[in-house]
Amino acid sequence: MAQTLVSIRDLSVRYRSRDDMAYAVDQVSLDIDRGSVYALVGESGSGKTTVGMSILNLLPDEADILGGEVYFGPDNMLTLDEHSLRHTRGRRITMIFQDPVAGLNPVISVGEQVGEVLTTHLGMNKRDAQSASVDILRQVGLADPERVAKSYPFQLSGGMCQRVMIGIATALSPDLIIADEPTAALDVTVQASILHQLDTLRREHDTAILLITHDFGVVSQIADQVGVMYAGHLVESGPVREVLRSPFHPYTHGLLAALPRLDDVGQELYALPGTAPELKEPAGHCPFIPRCRKAMQQCRDIGPPQLTPLPGQSDRSLACYNPVWQE
């Protein structure tokens, strides 16, 4: 039986600015099992990163948690004291940030940054940490790790910096890795290598991974479960193979239809009309209505649909009044 490692229940987050509000996440609930890869997919601004940062309780000062709970094992991360959070962050939960170059300190050598994880959480002395950091860089596939350890981030390529970030994130074999667009802006060869490293880690150390991405191609390669987010709402979730084979929400269906296909040579590439909304107030109805070809009056008259298990399919959930299967 799968063991639930992370359980998010009815999470709602709002960002404040000087002039208005942005309701980034609205009543999101999901579970991540130990040793599994859960992918959050959606366009930019859909709330994916906010969900990931909430697990670490690393939201900025202008963020308000309006409700919900984020359990990591028995602990609610949203109510833990700072001392407990410091013990958990970097030791049991780590994060690979979207921009690996910005995620590294430009004035500290790579070896020192990798070794800092070991000295902080394991109490290792600096000499031993320096030696161990070279081994960590070698394990993530970096050629000449001794040279890389002495280098600074600006002296490395984007792919090399991403491997360094993976080395830092995996150095202590954490229970959970939050990977925010870990393959963005990388060529396909480096992308495949990084995905392989993450998959190897979860198989060998039973590490769970929350993969935040907009790329269904990446999702199909590594994920076990997928949740599709739109305008702060989780609109569809389930096993990856089933969702890819039979998407039920019109948004999921549109995202998959927009993927290039080798058997559609000469066909015009489909594009979802419109853009995602900026939710300056809680949605009074389904936020996908302006872009949905299946919208009905019911979708406008009733509040946003809630994510509920499909009849007879407890592992698949949907938030839609007029699913694609009803065509």
Side-chain angles (χ1 to χ4, degrees):
M1 293 291 292
Q3 179 184 359
T4 300
L5 180 66
V6 176
S7 181
I8 299 176
R9 288 291 171 267
D10 299 323
L11 177 66
S12 297
V13 180
R14 176 185 66 187
Y15 290 106
R16 289 173 281 104
S17 67
R18 179 176 298 179
D19 301 320
D20 50 34
M21 307 284 186
Y23 289 80
V25 174
D26 191 354
Q27 294 186 315
V28 166
S29 297
L30 59 88
D31 294 322
I32 304 173
D33 294 332
R34 184 176 296 276
S36 70
V37 178
Y38 190 106
L40 272 182
V41 186
E43 296 168 286
S44 297
S46 60
K48 308 184 300 297
T49 298
T50 298
V51 172
M53 298 294 278
S54 296
I55 296 176
L56 281 166
N57 198 353
L58 274 179
L59 293 171
D61 292 339
E62 59 269 21
D64 296 322
I65 297 175
L66 302 180
E69 299 168 324
V70 178
Y71 281 99
F72 176 67
D75 300 321
N76 184 353
M77 295 294 290
L78 303 182
T79 60
L80 278 186
D81 60 83
E82 194 61 32
H83 174 76
S84 300
L85 285 172
R86 281 199 302 268
H87 175 74
T88 301
R89 296 172 183 154
R91 179 66 182 89
R92 300 189 62 199
I93 306 177
T94 58
M95 187 161 188
I96 302 171
F97 292 96
Q98 183 171 356
D99 185 348
V101 178
L104 296 170
N105 192 320
V107 298
I108 300 178
S109 70
V110 167
E112 288 183 75
Q113 296 188 61
V114 176
E116 185 178 10
V117 178
L118 306 176
T119 57
T120 300
H121 293 285
L122 300 184
M124 190 179 292
N125 63 59
K126 288 188 176 181
R127 177 176 295 181
D128 291 341
Q130 183 178 5
S131 176
S133 66
V134 174
D135 292 333
I136 291 170
L137 295 173
R138 182 180 292 110
Q139 290 169 10
V140 295
L142 283 164
D144 196 1
E146 291 83 3
R147 179 188 64 81
V148 173
K150 297 176 182 178
S151 302
Y152 292 87
F154 63 84
Q155 296 174 306
L156 306 179
S157 68
M160 295 173 73
C161 286
Q162 192 64 287
R163 289 175 189 265
V164 171
M165 291 290 291
I166 291 175
I168 294 173
T170 61
L172 302 180
S173 300
D175 297 312
L176 173 68
I177 295 176
I178 302 170
D180 190 357
E181 300 280 7
T183 59
L186 301 178
D187 63 64
V188 292
T189 304
V190 177
Q191 173 179 296
S193 177
I194 287 175
L195 292 177
H196 175 73
Q197 290 172 12
L198 291 175
D199 191 47
T200 299
L201 180 77
R202 68 88 170 250
R203 287 187 283 104
E204 293 182 350
H205 298 282
D206 207 26
T207 298
I209 299 173
L210 173 62
L211 177 65
I212 298 171
T213 183
H214 65 274
D215 190 341
F216 262 112
V218 171
V219 172
S220 66
Q221 293 180 57
I222 189 174
D224 302 303
Q225 300 281 323
V226 61
V228 181
M229 288 197 68
Y230 183 78
H233 297 258
L234 195 61
V235 297
E236 184 167 2
S237 65
V240 166
R241 290 187 179 181
E242 294 184 20
V243 173
L244 293 180
R245 184 175 58 247
S246 302
F248 294 144
H249 196 282
Y251 180 59
T252 311
H253 192 273
L255 289 178
L256 290 171
L259 293 175
R261 296 174 57 95
L262 293 176
D263 56 356
D264 282 346
V265 177
Q267 298 293 321
E268 184 177 352
L269 188 63
Y270 173 78
L272 271 170
T275 58
E278 296 182 9
L279 294 180
K280 297 183 178 181
E281 58 184 28
H285 50 66
C286 176
F288 191 58
I289 287 177
R291 308 174 71 185
C292 184
R293 59 187 176 84
K294 292 178 64 63
M296 307 181 301
Q297 191 61 41
Q298 178 187 20
C299 305
R300 297 176 173 84
D301 294 342
I302 307 177
Q306 300 300 308
L307 191 74
T308 55
L310 295 176
Q313 300 185 58
S314 59
D315 58 346
R316 289 201 66 176
S317 297
L318 183 67
C320 184
Y321 297 123
N322 190 23
V324 173
W325 78 66
Q326 295 183 7
E327 289 184 327

